Amino acid sequence: TMKSLAFLALLVACLACADAFAPAGIPLLARSASSRAFSTPIGHGLAVNTLRPAARASPLRAQRTAPRMAISLPADKPLKVGICGATGAVGKEIIGVLEKRGFNVGELRLFGSARSAGREVETKFGKVTIEDFDLARARELDVVFVSVSGDFSKEWCDKMAEGDDGTVVIDNSSAFRYEKDVALCVPEINADAARKGTRKVIANPNCTTAIGIMALWPLHKKYGLKKVLMSTYQAASGAGAEGMAELFDGAKAVVDGPEGTVAPNKHFAHPLPFNLIPHIDVFQDNLYTKEEMKVTWECQKIMDLPDLPVSCTSVRIPTFRAHAETIVIETEKPINPDEARKLLAEAPGCVLVDDPKGLKYPMPLTASKAYGVEVGRVRQSVVFGEKGLEFFVCGDQLLRGAALNAVLVAESLMQPVGTDFAPTL
């Protein structure tokens, strides 16, 4: 028995030694598979499966073996930038944000579907030809913005990012938001979560969360959040270009048709024109929808308040762009509405629009295509009294909720750990 134990100990020691001198981050038995995978040609289109998948380490193993690192992008040189899903609604907005913010792009690669590959796009960085997604070419870049689908992100993001020579990947899907070792980042709030990450994949939050949290965070820092109650009024474009087309075509059918005409519905659960639908995403066991629970989970993770009670009701409304939200908070400390207005007016990413006498308040009409989140209707809560506040916010979900936030995450990586990120918008 003693000899058997000694032999086992020796075997374990040999395996540990072999693993220690192998390339970091790849399990011993997976290395040959990984090498083959990266040399395999990729087929056409975004959602391709011709790449032989490398064996993937379990999350537990990844957390155990990943070195503590700082994720950064150089601020003093032009960057090689890629966009996956460049022809989609968010992809187009990312290009626009890079242009308007003067992002230091040295080379821009646009990855699209097989249908759009070969088409040329005019940008401020020059004429760019859309190409099929290619893993090897993506890994040559400094940062890649991904806005395709959760399935695409799960298949490719880690492969683009893994290793010391991997690229920084900023993903707009929900694929990684709730993974413990992936930063879920709104950079004005938690830039260091991304900078101190152990994986080069960084998750962008749900658009509803990204808009509301811009006002919640400065209020929490001063008064302490105790409870958050939210109702959201979300535009058709939250369901993509198809949702916007269904709203437009349906509204036209109702207006042009005989009295009593009801618009057809395909992408929404019910006709959206001249209607409201209190149902976004699938219902959960607790009878909240997944969209509503995303707000809870993501507010807790981004603000690092895992026990904060957050309740949300999400409603689809017949507008094309910009989400609106009613927010009611209970705070730990007494909160004065005038002080809160001043705080919100000075908060990064917020624009105070609060003049009831002048009929000025946040609206989709004024918030669409704007970078700042409008905040208004600020008042003392009649439910929670001196420790309660109610207000209304409105923000462009394609920008603050997606493209703008993603680009700001990249900008925040150009600053050192510990630096407050307060961009000029």
Side-chain angles (χ1 to χ4, degrees):
T1 303
M2 292 297 294
K3 288 183 178 179
S4 298
L5 289 173
F7 175 75
L8 286 172
L10 179 62
L11 180 61
V12 170
C14 290
L15 287 172
C17 184
D19 202 60
F21 286 97
I26 303 178
L28 187 61
L29 297 177
R31 282 170 200 130
S32 60
S34 179
S35 299
R36 289 195 303 272
F38 281 109
S39 63
T40 304
I42 299 175
H44 295 287
L46 280 172
V48 294
N49 294 302
T50 55
L51 185 70
R52 286 197 294 264
R56 294 182 61 170
S58 69
L60 181 62
R61 177 178 293 167
Q63 290 180 36
R64 185 172 65 246
T65 60
R68 194 65 181 167
M69 59 184 292
I71 297 174
S72 64
L73 290 170
D76 56 351
K77 71 170 189 177
L79 299 180
K80 296 179 179 179
V81 178
I83 302 173
C84 294
T87 58
V90 175
K92 291 176 181 177
E93 294 291 349
I94 291 174
I95 296 172
V97 174
L98 292 172
E99 292 175 336
K100 290 176 183 176
R101 291 195 58 76
F103 198 89
N104 196 1
V105 176
E107 178 183 351
L108 180 63
R109 292 182 187 172
L110 303 179
F111 299 107
S113 64
R115 186 177 57 205
S116 57
R119 200 175 83 218
E120 290 188 336
V121 176
E122 289 284 355
T123 76
K124 286 188 177 180
F125 314 110
K127 190 177 291 186
V128 182
T129 301
I130 298 172
E131 53 189 290
D132 288 335
F133 175 75
D134 181 275
L135 178 61
R137 284 180 60 76
R139 283 178 58 84
E140 295 170 356
L141 304 171
D142 296 302
V143 59
V144 175
F145 299 98
V146 179
S147 186
V148 185
S149 68
D151 289 340
F152 177 91
S153 295
K154 288 174 184 176
E155 183 171 3
W156 299 112
C157 285
D158 275 331
K159 293 173 184 175
M160 286 188 273
E162 68 182 351
D164 292 339
D165 59 341
T167 184
V168 173
V169 177
I170 301 172
D171 180 45
N172 275 289
S173 81
S174 62
F176 301 99
R177 289 175 186 161
Y178 315 119
E179 293 194 15
K180 189 174 182 180
D181 60 343
V182 173
L184 178 62
C185 188
V186 174
E188 292 94 332
I189 299 172
N190 66 335
D192 273 358
R195 295 167 181 154
K196 295 179 180 179
T198 58
R199 282 166 72 179
K200 290 183 180 178
V201 177
I202 300 166
N204 228 30
N206 175 268
C207 52
T208 313
T209 306
I211 292 167
I213 207 169
M214 298 306 298
L216 287 173
W217 178 244
L219 294 170
H220 168 69
K221 285 198 296 181
K222 182 162 186 177
Y223 303 104
L225 292 176
K226 190 174 180 181
K227 293 188 181 89
V228 177
L229 305 172
M230 184 184 299
S231 295
T232 71
Y233 314 99
Q234 300 182 214
S237 54
E242 297 88 352
M244 295 177 72
E246 184 168 307
L247 173 60
F248 181 85
D249 294 340
K252 190 173 187 302
V254 172
V255 171
D256 294 344
E259 185 176 351
T261 297
V262 176
N265 61 293
K266 178 180 178 182
H267 296 283
F268 300 114
H270 299 278
L272 185 58
F274 309 99
N275 191 26
L276 302 174
I277 306 173
H279 171 197
I280 301 176
D281 214 329
V282 296
F283 282 97
Q284 308 292 288
D285 290 342
N286 62 2
L287 299 185
Y288 284 82
T289 66
K290 191 174 182 181
E291 178 79 4
E292 293 159 353
M293 291 309 302
K294 287 176 184 176
V295 174
T296 300
W297 299 329
E298 295 177 18
C299 283
Q300 291 172 340
K301 182 173 180 178
I302 294 167
M303 295 191 289
D304 196 20
L305 299 171
D307 299 320
L308 176 68
V310 179
S311 177
C312 179
T313 298
S314 294
V315 183
R316 186 72 71 190
I317 65 172
T319 56
F320 285 116
R321 188 160 173 158
H323 291 350
E325 304 170 14
T326 295
I327 302 177
V328 182
I329 60 172
E330 183 183 11
T331 54
E332 298 287 352
K333 302 174 184 177
I335 182 168
N336 178 283
D338 290 332
E339 288 182 357
R341 287 187 193 93
K342 185 174 185 299
L343 184 70
L344 291 166
E346 296 171 353
C350 290
V351 178
L352 186 68
V353 184
D354 195 19
D355 180 12
K357 290 182 180 179
L359 306 183
K360 293 182 180 178
Y361 25 70
M363 296 186 296
L365 191 66
T366 50
S368 291
K369 300 187 179 181
Y371 283 1
V373 172
E374 295 184 351
V375 188
R377 296 295 318 279
V378 179
R379 60 206 186 273
Q380 199 88 57
S381 171
V382 297
V383 175
F384 296 119
E386 67 172 5
K387 292 186 177 180
L389 196 75
E390 303 193 19
F391 51 96
F392 192 75
V393 303
C394 195
D396 192 307
Q397 86 284 2
L398 294 176
L399 292 171
R400 180 76 258 184
L404 174 66
N405 195 81
V407 173
L408 293 179
V409 169
E411 290 183 16
S412 74
L413 296 178
M414 300 177 192
Q415 299 179 0
V417 170
T419 304
D420 287 337
F421 184 70
T424 301
L425 299 181

